[in-house]
Amino acid sequence: MKLFMIRHGEKESDEFGSNLTPLGKEQVKKISNTLRNNNIYKIYSSANPRSIQTGKIISEEINVILQTVDSIKELSREVFFQPELEWNSENKDSINNIKSFLDEITRKNEDVALAMHAGINRAILSILLDIPLHKTIHFTQDIACINLLEFKEIYGEKRWCVKLLNSTHHLQ
């Protein structure tokens, strides 16, 4: 199983609900060209407008179904700098929703793409690679980057393995 994690394209502003810019839309089309030759079964996006826009462009470009996951929301920045014991209930719920979603798509064992945000991508890396969330702040997630993880057998056990991290080669 392959999991392509994509950060949305360039945004109009730092407002959480801002949309993609024309350049951001072009960046996503370049992502689509990179994904086109993979056997992606479905694209999932968080409920944020620019993630939906990113997922929709990819969906249309490579002719794959897009599904918005309302329970997946961007994490507050402070969660990356707090011990887990200090997380508020909203942050705990957000992480649990991401874990449930990842369990569901892992059980299906299909190659999928996720159109998300930097924080969600870091949380996914934390969960799948068993790294404390505060350590993932060191994983840069540039605008319109692609991360690729693969669930495969390593030393007799199925594990998530990093194949690509924060790649922007498709934007060159």
Side-chain angles (χ1 to χ4, degrees):
M1 172 184 178
K2 292 181 181 173
L3 176 65
F4 294 87
M5 298 183 333
I6 298 148
R7 184 173 181 208
H8 58 76
E10 181 185 74
K11 57 188 176 179
E12 294 173 339
S13 73
D14 285 336
E15 294 296 317
F16 189 68
S18 69
N19 294 310
L20 296 178
T21 65
L23 174 61
K25 292 175 183 175
E26 287 303 314
Q27 290 168 330
V28 176
K29 286 184 181 179
K30 289 179 178 180
I31 291 170
S32 301
N33 288 335
T34 299
L35 298 178
R36 187 176 313 283
N37 294 326
N38 291 280
N39 293 321
I40 296 173
Y41 174 74
K42 191 182 278 189
I43 300 166
Y44 296 94
S45 81
S46 70
N48 182 272
R50 60 186 171 268
S51 291
I52 294 170
Q53 292 164 12
T54 297
K56 186 174 182 181
I57 292 168
I58 296 169
S59 171
E60 291 170 355
E61 291 286 322
I62 68 171
N63 196 30
V64 174
I65 295 169
L66 169 65
Q67 181 178 335
T68 302
V69 184
D70 293 327
S71 64
I72 304 287
K73 298 181 180 4
E74 180 64 317
L75 302 169
S76 60
R77 287 190 177 131
E78 68 265 3
V79 75
F80 293 95
F81 301 98
Q82 296 174 329
E84 189 173 340
L85 294 173
E86 293 178 18
W87 292 353
N88 62 31
S89 61
E90 183 179 336
N91 288 330
K92 289 177 186 175
D93 289 346
S94 293
I95 294 295
N96 287 332
N97 288 339
I98 294 169
K99 285 179 180 178
S100 295
F101 169 72
L102 292 171
D103 287 345
E104 177 186 326
I105 63 171
T106 301
R107 272 193 306 276
K108 291 180 181 177
N109 198 35
E110 298 162 333
D111 294 353
V112 296
L114 310 180
M116 301 288 174
H117 300 272
I120 296 172
N121 286 351
R122 287 182 182 111
I124 291 169
L125 290 167
S126 168
I127 294 163
L128 295 181
L129 301 176
D130 197 24
I131 299 169
L133 186 62
H134 71 276
K135 298 280 187 184
T136 65
I137 198 68
H138 304 288
F139 296 148
T140 301
Q141 291 291 280
D142 290 329
I143 292 290
C145 73
I146 299 174
N147 305 281
L148 173 57
L149 279 73
E150 188 172 12
F151 193 60
K152 62 183 188 175
E153 189 170 320
I154 301 287
Y155 301 117
E157 186 178 323
K158 292 276 260 184
R159 303 171 192 268
W160 282 101
C161 302
V162 177
K163 292 196 67 135
L164 199 59
L165 187 63
N166 193 46
S167 176
T168 56
H169 72 280
H170 51 280
L171 301 177
Q172 311 303 322

